[in-house]
Amino acid sequence: DPVDEELVASLEAELETAEAAVAEATTAAAAAQEAIATLKTELETATAALADATEAASEANATIDALQTELAVATAAQTAAAEAAASAKAAVETAVQVAEATAAHEAAVAAVASITDALEEAKNADPVDEELVATLTDQLAAAEEEVLEAEIILAKVSDEAGITDATTESAISDEEIAEAAEEFAESAAEDRAATYIEEEIVLTGYSVDTFTDEVKAEFAKVIATIVEQVDPAVEDDDVVVEDVVEYAAAAAAAALGDATASTTITPIKATIEVYTEHAQSVKTLLRSVDVDALMEALTEGGLDELTDVEVVVEAHVVDADAEDLLTDEEALTAEMVEAAEEFAAVRAEDYAEAVANETSTEETTETVDTVDTVETTTVSSSSVVLDTAEAATTVEEVQDVAAAAAAAVEEAQAAATEAEEALAAAQEALASATTPEEIADAQAAVEAATAKLAEATDALEEAKSVAADVSTWAAAAEAHAEAVAHVADLQTQIAIAQAAAEDASDPAAQAAAKQLLITLEQALIEAEAAVEATAEAVTEAKAIVVETYVTAAEPDASSEAAEAMNAWEAAAAELAAADAFVEEVKAQLEEAHRSGDAEAIKSLTLQLEAAIKAQATAKVAEEDAKELVDEIAAGVTAAERAAEEKEQKKRVQEMEKAKRTNAELLEASKAATARLAQLRGSLLETEAALASAEEEERLKIGSIREKAKQVASSKSAAFEEAKVADKRAAEAEARARSGGWGDDANAGDAAEVSNADTWVTAAESEQRQAVAAAAAAAGARARSAVADFQEAAAADEAARNQNQNENGNAASSGVSAEIVFPDDDGNSPSSALPSFAKIGGFFAAALQTVSRLASPEAQKKRAEAERAAAKASLLATVVATNIGRECDAAQLSAVQAATLELEALNPTKRPATSSLLRGRWSAVFTNSRQLLGMDKKLSLTKQSGPVYMAHDVEESRSEWQYTWPVKVERAALRVTNEGYGLFMSFEQTKLFGLFGMPGAGKAKEYGDLEITYLDLDMMLARGANQTVYVFVQTNSNYRIGDLDSGDVNRRLN
């Protein structure tokens, strides 16, 4: 009173302005709330995707862990079985020899007894037939000689068999012998039943419910019909269908291969067991059956709803009383296929859309596939001939060989007919082709069919030749059997005639008997000669078959050994020459160093590198040649070596497949982790912006309101920066998902870069991008912290000015000129220097703009801003060092200075016991050459890409993970130095999750760490030899060995 209208108008204007500012801040707060909700949704989606990917990786890798144990058990069991088989074979051969010698001895003794009785009767006859007595006396002497020879042979084979006296009369009764024979027969039957063939087949079109007992019976009948080709004794009951279960992995794999070929029925996996006495032949047969032919046989046999068939575990022999004798190849195939299919099931949804856009295969390609799959559905009878011919001795066995040879001719004829039909179909496809692509494909199909027809024709001619020679052998064997039977008949007639000749009651009959005896003995001589002749014919016929078709198929061991020895000598000579050349180049290089000739040093260094590589190659060649010589000397055949090489190649392929799978999962996990970190940073920025907007509502005076506007503006810029970084991360993730490492069209000549080099380059690039993203996020958080601190400082300064005004003192501002934040590239408007070179100075200048603080809140904000600025400065310093692999002396000095500055601001006491230590940490810098593997001499063994660390103080264990080569180290952990130290005793190291590495218990630079700084997302540590370690948190939920914690690397047990 009076009213100051001018003042009222001014205040009303300011009130309107304040209300407008409040409304604007409210709108900004609402927008920020919406942004927070959106980011939280994206964060949840990214977290779920990361969990799904890591779970899939864990399941895929878990199946591989048991392979080493299973292979060791299988190898031991296989060795034991081979030894048992060899022992049994030797025992059978010995038993046959003893039985034959015993029978020969008994026959000789019986002949001596018979001739002795006849001689006594002849001597006692009246009148005495001196001629007959002389004949019988000669026969008795010959028979006694035969007895002596038989005794010698029997004694020899008995000694070899461990029988002390084979001629001693057995004290075992006939009843005991019969009982023992019956028990042996029962035991043999049980042994045959204990051995069976097992195979696992996936059937699409049936479910567990629709695969009823009737369908099982039809299924078993079809399998029995196939097996009857090599074992006619097999019946339907001998085929047992076991373990019918759902097989979801097959459906997922089908979806991955063809997104349009999905089915609503989950496939089933059935395990079949075939009980047979011809296990090896049945196994070979089942492995040779083409899946298309099996599919046709099953549908014709009554399985009408069947749409697809797949053999996931090939037929193999199983001994129910022993460990499963799967080969390494079979075990790796089954386990790795299942692991790959499980991983494919996880990725199927992501790839389904892309796969659906692919064009279908052309009809001509289908024709090629049809031609390529023309195979016989039965086991090769020619192989049966070659396998059984050498062992055949009896007429029945030779007839079996002849039957197999005839069957081989029929099979070869059928194969030739089928090849002719395939060629005709391919020629028709060529005639109907119109486009150049169709013509080219059809022409390729015709050429393939022509080649197959030529092969089938050659096989038919060979089969006919084998059948003709085996038929000659069979005829000779039958003739020999008839001759032996004729000799036996004559011997019987001679015995009857001898009895009649000894009967003197009827002299006429006696004389006739004697005359007949002479005739029969002459016929016996001729018959025995016929036996010898036919035996020789059999031997010659068998030799033709064996030498022509069996021995010819086997390599000349002596020639092979000589070639291997020559190759070894040549390789050794090349290695010696390589060694000498390396030494020569080394000497020249030393001389060049002494003379200081830079050009010569450069040239000789390159020559030395090439010479060392040649030396390593020669060393490998020499070792391989020596190994081949040792194998040949040990009796290892070429076929066995080829099988072993094939198996090793299969293992390498499976390991490479597992490594690629692991790399893909690791890439996806890292992309998801980076994405998650970006989302978290954006969320923090948005929440800070919301807090700033809410604070604006309480600002009433002009200077504070203007300052709040500046803060809000800086927050908005930071938020826009976070969105840009978020967009870049999403684009990088999309590129990684659609392309993958090594697929960049601008990557240069891919033929000159190995897969490993491409992978390493991509891993190192990804590491640099991840560290740069972390540095950028830290810089954004630091700017936010500095802004918060300046806001608190401004409020503190305003309050202090008010107090000074009330006391009549002049106000002095503690805030200097406005701070100018760097742009998106980290540069201030007036500077061209890069952000990472100026970011530390920027934050230091920002913190120095306030001269003194009074309130605890402002002091707290200052401490947080100092830590954030120090962290951003440190990350900016290490971002270009590739974890320390590319760090010079100046960069190392800068990193050490920034580390000391941040260590002085450590907010966590006893960090080694803090819960903040949990999770997985990524190394962003270290000067430990041992951790980085920089002292490795071979480039393939040098560490590349990210390095991860995890500690579990409660479980007293530690884990270090390397990206390339894929390696995991496990150690026992204990806390030292009153809660500031971690000491690790390394116990286990595995490479690619398969191979154990030596060096357990060896001390390492990073095995004794002192934690010097720890907060929510950063850790600093120091180790032996003045090494420094900088880590950032990548997964706070990670736990060592926990399947649900996001572990994408192999777990060690």
Side-chain angles (χ1 to χ4, degrees):
D1 188 15
V3 176
D4 188 346
E5 298 296 340
E6 184 178 355
L7 177 60
V8 169
S10 175
L11 291 175
E12 287 177 349
E14 290 185 2
L15 179 59
E16 291 178 359
T17 303
E19 289 175 348
V22 170
E24 182 181 354
T26 302
T27 302
Q33 289 285 11
E34 293 179 359
I36 287 175
T38 301
L39 289 174
K40 284 183 176 179
T41 302
E42 293 185 11
L43 177 61
E44 292 175 356
T45 302
T47 303
L50 176 60
D52 292 342
T54 52
E55 181 180 359
S58 299
E59 293 176 356
N61 288 322
T63 57
I64 307 174
D65 286 335
L67 283 179
Q68 293 297 325
T69 302
E70 183 178 346
L71 291 177
V73 173
T75 302
Q78 191 174 25
T79 302
E83 293 176 353
S87 177
K89 180 179 180 181
V92 169
E93 292 175 352
T94 302
V96 170
Q97 292 176 355
V98 171
E100 291 177 349
T102 302
H105 179 264
E106 291 175 353
V109 171
V112 168
S114 176
I115 295 173
T116 300
D117 293 340
L119 181 58
E120 289 297 326
E121 292 179 1
K123 289 181 178 179
N124 295 329
D126 187 16
V128 176
D129 188 344
E130 297 297 339
E131 183 179 357
L132 178 59
V133 170
T135 300
L136 292 175
T137 300
D138 294 338
Q139 291 180 358
L140 179 60
E144 287 175 347
E145 290 180 1
E146 291 180 359
V147 169
L148 181 58
E149 292 177 356
E151 287 178 352
I152 294 173
I153 295 173
L154 179 58
K156 180 179 180 181
V157 296
S158 298
D159 290 340
E160 293 176 351
I163 303 174
T164 56
D165 187 2
T167 62
T168 304
E169 184 177 356
S170 174
I172 304 175
S173 64
D174 294 339
E175 293 77 10
E176 290 175 334
I177 294 175
E179 182 179 357
E182 183 178 356
E183 291 179 356
F184 176 80
E186 293 176 355
S187 175
E190 291 177 357
D191 291 340
R192 288 193 298 272
T195 301
Y196 58 90
I197 304 301
E198 184 178 84
E199 186 175 54
E200 294 183 9
I201 303 177
V202 172
L203 306 174
T204 304
Y206 285 92
S207 65
V208 175
D209 296 330
T210 59
F211 199 70
T212 61
D213 292 340
E214 291 77 8
V215 179
K216 289 182 181 178
E218 295 294 338
F219 180 69
K221 184 176 181 180
V222 172
I223 300 299
T225 302
I226 295 174
V227 174
E228 284 178 358
Q229 298 177 72
V230 294
D231 187 0
V234 169
E235 299 178 354
D236 296 352
D237 294 339
D238 294 327
V239 180
V240 180
V241 182
E242 296 283 358
D243 299 333
V244 179
V245 297
E246 291 185 352
Y247 196 68
L256 179 61
D258 185 359
T260 64
S262 61
T263 177
T264 58
I265 300 178
T266 301
I268 59 174
K269 181 177 71 174
T271 302
I272 62 172
E273 299 174 355
V274 182
Y275 292 86
T276 173
E277 295 182 2
H278 305 279
Q280 293 298 329
S281 297
V282 171
K283 182 187 78 170
T284 305
L285 169 64
L286 292 179
R287 288 191 172 192
S288 67
V289 174
D290 182 69
V291 291
D292 294 333
L294 178 60
M295 174 76 180
E296 182 180 357
L298 290 174
T299 52
E300 292 178 354
L303 277 72
D304 300 329
E305 299 180 8
L306 190 64
T307 59
D308 191 22
V309 175
E310 179 184 3
V311 178
V312 293
V313 177
E314 291 186 332
H316 55 275
V317 180
V318 176
D319 186 351
D321 297 329
E323 296 290 341
D324 186 6
L325 299 182
L326 285 176
T327 65
D328 294 349
E329 179 181 355
E330 293 166 344
L332 281 171
T333 300
E335 295 293 343
M336 296 301 293
V337 166
E338 185 174 357
E341 289 175 347
E342 289 177 358
F343 171 64
V346 177
R347 295 192 304 169
E349 183 176 356
D350 296 334
Y351 283 94
E353 182 177 358
V355 175
N357 294 329
E358 295 181 357
T359 57
S360 59
T361 307
E362 298 293 339
E363 293 181 358
T364 53
T365 304
E366 294 179 355
T367 304
V368 177
D369 294 339
T370 303
V371 173
D372 290 340
T373 55
V374 173
E375 295 179 358
T376 178
T377 60
T378 62
V379 67
S380 174
S381 297
S382 297
S383 64
V384 175
V385 174
L386 299 180
D387 292 341
T388 59
E390 193 168 7
T393 55
T394 65
V395 175
E396 291 77 11
E397 291 173 344
V398 177
Q399 290 174 344
D400 290 341
V401 176
V409 173
E410 295 177 357
E411 293 174 4
Q413 183 63 58
T417 302
E418 189 173 1
E420 290 175 353
E421 294 174 353
L423 177 58
Q427 290 172 342
E428 291 178 0
L430 178 61
S432 60
T434 56
T435 66
E437 293 78 7
E438 292 178 350
I439 294 174
D441 293 339
Q443 183 62 42
V446 170
E447 293 175 357
T450 302
K452 283 192 172 293
L453 178 58
E455 294 176 0
T457 303
D458 293 341
L460 177 60
E461 294 300 324
E462 183 179 358
K464 289 180 179 180
S465 178
V466 172
D469 290 339
V470 173
S471 178
T472 302
W473 179 18
E478 292 173 358
H480 177 64
E482 293 177 357
V484 171
H486 184 51
V487 168
D489 182 57
L490 288 175
Q491 289 176 340
T492 302
Q493 294 181 35
I494 289 174
I496 296 173
Q498 286 178 342
E502 294 171 358
D503 186 4
S505 60
D506 186 353
Q510 184 181 32
K514 291 180 179 180
Q515 187 63 36
L516 177 61
L517 185 61
I518 295 173
T519 303
L520 291 174
E521 288 177 347
Q522 182 62 35
L524 179 60
I525 294 173
E526 295 176 356
E528 289 176 344
V531 168
E532 294 179 358
T534 54
E536 184 176 354
V538 169
T539 301
E540 292 177 356
K542 179 178 180 179
I544 291 174
V545 173
V546 173
E547 293 177 0
T548 304
Y549 305 109
V550 178
T551 307
E554 298 176 352
D556 186 352
S558 60
S559 175
E560 186 180 15
E563 292 178 0
M565 183 61 70
N566 292 335
W568 182 21
E569 292 176 354
E574 290 181 2
L575 177 59
D579 292 340
F581 184 65
V582 168
E583 295 301 325
E584 180 182 354
V585 175
K586 285 182 178 179
Q588 293 177 2
L589 183 59
E590 291 176 358
E591 182 63 27
H593 277 292
R594 285 193 294 269
S595 63
D597 189 345
E599 292 295 330
I601 291 174
K602 181 178 179 180
S603 174
L604 290 171
T605 300
L606 295 176
Q607 291 183 32
L608 182 59
E609 291 177 357
I612 291 175
K613 290 181 180 179
Q615 183 186 36
T617 302
K619 179 64 176 176
V620 172
E622 190 271 342
E623 291 176 351
D624 290 343
K626 182 179 183 299
E627 182 179 357
L628 177 60
V629 172
D630 293 339
E631 288 178 354
I632 294 175
V636 180
T637 64
E640 292 173 342
R641 290 195 301 275
E644 179 65 21
E645 290 176 359
K646 181 179 179 181
E647 184 176 348
Q648 290 179 354
K649 290 180 179 178
K650 184 98 177 212
R651 291 180 186 173
V652 171
Q653 292 173 356
E654 295 295 347
M655 187 181 71
E656 290 296 332
K657 183 178 180 181
K659 185 176 70 176
R660 289 193 300 270
T661 300
N662 196 29
E664 291 175 359
L665 290 172
L666 183 61
E667 179 184 359
S669 175
K670 289 176 181 177
T673 301
R675 175 68 170 164
L676 188 60
Q678 291 290 342
L679 291 175
R680 284 175 176 168
S682 299
L683 182 59
L684 291 175
E685 295 290 339
T686 306
E687 290 176 345
L690 178 60
S692 175
E694 292 175 347
E695 182 66 21
E696 280 190 81
E697 297 180 8
R698 299 191 294 271
L699 300 180
K700 302 300 182 182
I701 61 176
S703 62
I704 296 178
R705 183 166 59 249
E706 291 300 324
K707 190 62 180 179
K709 288 183 178 181
Q710 293 179 9
V711 172
S713 176
S714 67
K715 297 298 183 182
S716 176
F719 182 66
E720 290 298 322
E721 178 186 356
K723 289 200 300 184
V724 171
D726 188 292
K727 181 179 179 181
R728 291 175 179 173
E731 292 174 350
E733 181 179 359
R735 287 195 301 272
R737 181 180 296 277
S738 62
W741 291 341
D743 296 337
D744 189 358
N746 299 322
D749 189 358
E752 298 180 358
V753 182
S754 68
N755 291 333
D757 291 339
T758 304
W759 197 95
V760 169
T761 302
E764 292 181 350
S765 175
E766 187 273 346
Q767 172 68 11
R768 292 189 179 94
Q769 294 175 5
V771 177
R781 287 194 290 272
R783 285 193 291 273
S784 177
V786 170
D788 289 344
F789 160 62
Q790 288 180 328
E791 178 183 339
D796 190 33
E797 184 72 10
R800 186 165 59 251
N801 290 341
Q802 184 178 358
N803 292 334
Q804 291 174 347
N805 289 333
E806 291 175 354
N807 296 330
N809 298 325
S812 60
S813 173
V815 181
S816 64
E818 179 182 356
I819 299 300
V820 180
F821 288 86
D823 57 16
D824 290 341
D825 295 327
N827 298 326
S828 64
S830 61
S831 174
L833 292 176
S835 61
F836 294 144
K838 298 187 61 180
I839 193 167
F842 159 70
F843 287 118
L847 293 175
Q848 291 174 359
T849 58
V850 179
S851 58
R852 61 184 182 277
L853 298 173
S855 68
E857 179 66 17
Q859 293 177 356
K860 177 181 178 181
K861 294 290 186 180
R862 179 186 178 92
E864 293 174 353
E866 287 178 343
R867 276 196 295 272
K871 289 165 61 176
S873 178
L874 176 57
L875 288 176
T877 305
V878 306
V879 70
T881 64
N882 189 14
I883 323 182
R885 298 188 180 100
E886 301 171 5
C887 180
D888 56 23
Q891 289 174 309
L892 179 60
S893 178
V895 171
Q896 290 175 337
T899 301
L900 288 173
E901 181 181 355
L902 183 57
E903 286 174 339
L905 303 175
N906 179 29
T908 306
K909 295 181 179 181
R910 296 171 56 84
T913 61
S914 173
S915 61
L916 295 176
L917 189 65
R918 296 177 179 173
R920 182 168 61 186
W921 298 81
S922 175
V924 296
F925 177 84
T926 181
N927 60 341
S928 173
R929 298 179 64 84
Q930 189 179 46
L931 178 62
L932 298 176
M934 297 177 66
D935 293 329
K936 300 288 186 180
K937 295 182 179 179
L938 296 178
S939 60
L940 288 179
T941 62
K942 290 185 177 180
Q943 296 295 341
S944 302
V947 178
Y948 298 97
M949 170 199 70
H951 300 301
D952 191 338
V953 176
E954 295 177 357
E955 297 295 333
S956 300
R957 53 183 177 172
S958 178
E959 180 184 79
W960 294 79
Q961 302 172 347
Y962 302 84
T963 305
W964 179 264
V966 179
K967 183 175 71 173
V968 179
E969 295 177 343
R970 286 283 177 81
L973 178 68
R974 61 184 175 89
V975 177
T976 61
N977 195 17
E978 298 181 352
Y980 285 85
L982 295 175
F983 182 78
M984 288 153 274
S985 299
F986 289 87
E987 299 174 341
Q988 186 183 44
T989 301
K990 279 199 174 181
L991 190 63
F992 296 113
L994 297 173
F995 310 104
M997 301 294 292
K1002 182 179 179 181
K1004 302 180 185 294
E1005 289 179 343
Y1006 50 95
D1008 189 2
L1009 298 179
E1010 179 184 2
I1011 309 300
T1012 57
Y1013 180 92
L1014 178 66
D1015 64 11
L1016 186 63
D1017 56 4
M1018 182 173 282
M1019 182 199 310
L1020 304 181
R1022 293 184 179 271
N1025 299 329
Q1026 298 181 348
T1027 52
V1028 178
Y1029 306 84
V1030 181
F1031 301 93
V1032 294
Q1033 177 70 267
T1034 60
N1035 186 351
S1036 60
N1037 294 324
Y1038 177 82
R1039 300 294 181 270
I1040 298 174
D1042 185 2
L1043 289 174
D1044 298 327
S1045 67
D1047 180 7
V1048 300
N1049 290 299
R1050 168 173 295 285
R1051 303 187 327 280
L1052 301 179
N1053 296 323

